[in-house]
Amino acid sequence: MFEKLQKEVVTLLKSEGGKDSKLLAICKLLKSSVPYYDWVGFYFKNGDKRELKLGPYAGAPTDHTIIPFGKGICGQVAESNENFVVPDVQAQDNYIACSITVKSEIVVPLFKDGENIGQIDIDSNTPDPFTSEDERFLEFVNREVAKIL
Ligand code: SME
């Protein structure tokens, strides 16, 4: 599944259109292709501020359009520069709930010229669905996305 999706992501990034429309298309592609991806979105560092701002996403609207560094899973990844896989969100103290249906989450940082400038965030309504294959796939997506940013 991920091999085919990688090719589709590359094709999509080569297509006509602005950055945000390509990022949105990636969110929609991932959400509709991976059965346990229920919300897919990008957050980016908000200028010089130590906070993340929501970018393109697919799934239910969220109130959390701004997330301070250090807060929630996303805010922690902004500081750690490392993938954060959460098999059970209820077991996390520093977690920002977007929807009561969410059981698990994965956040993978996005680097441009070695700098952590944002992340891809995926929520799942399935408990503990993410494996190292998801991590490798999402790292690939972020590397490809970084090329157009
Ligand atoms: N759960 C995230 C907040 C973003 S929503 O999942 C869209 C967090 O704890 O950082």
Side-chain angles (χ1 to χ4, degrees), residues 10-40:
V10 170
T11 305
L12 206 155
L13 286 169
K14 279 189 198 144
S15 67
E16 294 289 311
K19 290 172 188 175
D20 277 1
S21 68
K22 289 180 186 178
L23 293 190
L24 179 61
I26 288 177
C27 292
K28 288 180 175 170
L29 172 70
L30 268 52
K31 181 177 182 290
S32 63
S33 307
V34 185
Y36 52 90
Y37 287 8
D38 294 297
W39 189 95
V40 180

Side-chain angles (χ1 to χ4, degrees), residues 43-54 65-67 69 117:
Y43 281 94
F44 290 101
K45 188 171 190 290
N46 192 11
D48 290 338
K49 298 184 189 151
R50 287 184 54 79
E51 65 182 31
L52 294 162
K53 189 177 177 198
L54 181 62
T65 53
I66 297 284
I67 298 178
F69 278 22
I117 60 158

Side-chain angles (χ1 to χ4, degrees), residues 22-140:
K22 289 180 186 178
L23 293 190
L24 179 61
I26 288 177
C27 292
K28 288 180 175 170
L29 172 70
L30 268 52
K31 181 177 182 290
S32 63
S33 307
V34 185
Y36 52 90
Y37 287 8
D38 294 297
W39 189 95
V40 180
F42 288 94
Y43 281 94
F44 290 101
K45 188 171 190 290
N46 192 11
D48 290 338
K49 298 184 189 151
R50 287 184 54 79
E51 65 182 31
L52 294 162
K53 189 177 177 198
L54 181 62
Y57 68 93
T62 171
D63 289 339
H64 305 288
T65 53
I66 297 284
I67 298 178
F69 278 22
K71 290 274 164 68
I73 308 303
C74 297
Q76 292 177 75
V77 169
E79 293 186 324
S80 73
N81 306 326
E82 282 173 12
N83 298 349
F84 200 152
V85 180
V86 183
D88 173 9
V89 293
Q90 289 201 15
Q92 293 290 320
D93 291 332
N94 190 357
Y95 169 70
I96 303 166
C98 280
S99 155
I100 51 161
T101 61
V102 174
K103 298 281 194 299
S104 55
E105 178 164 2
I106 182 170
V107 179
V108 173
L110 194 158
F111 300 96
K112 174 84 182 171
D113 301 327
E115 191 191 341
N116 180 353
I117 60 158
Q119 51 194 238
I120 191 165
D121 175 20
I122 295 171
D123 286 343
S124 178
N125 299 338
T126 303
D128 196 10
F130 303 113
T131 68
S132 56
E133 284 193 45
D134 295 272
E135 291 190 69
R136 299 297 88 76
F137 169 62
L138 296 169
E139 288 164 0
F140 173 86

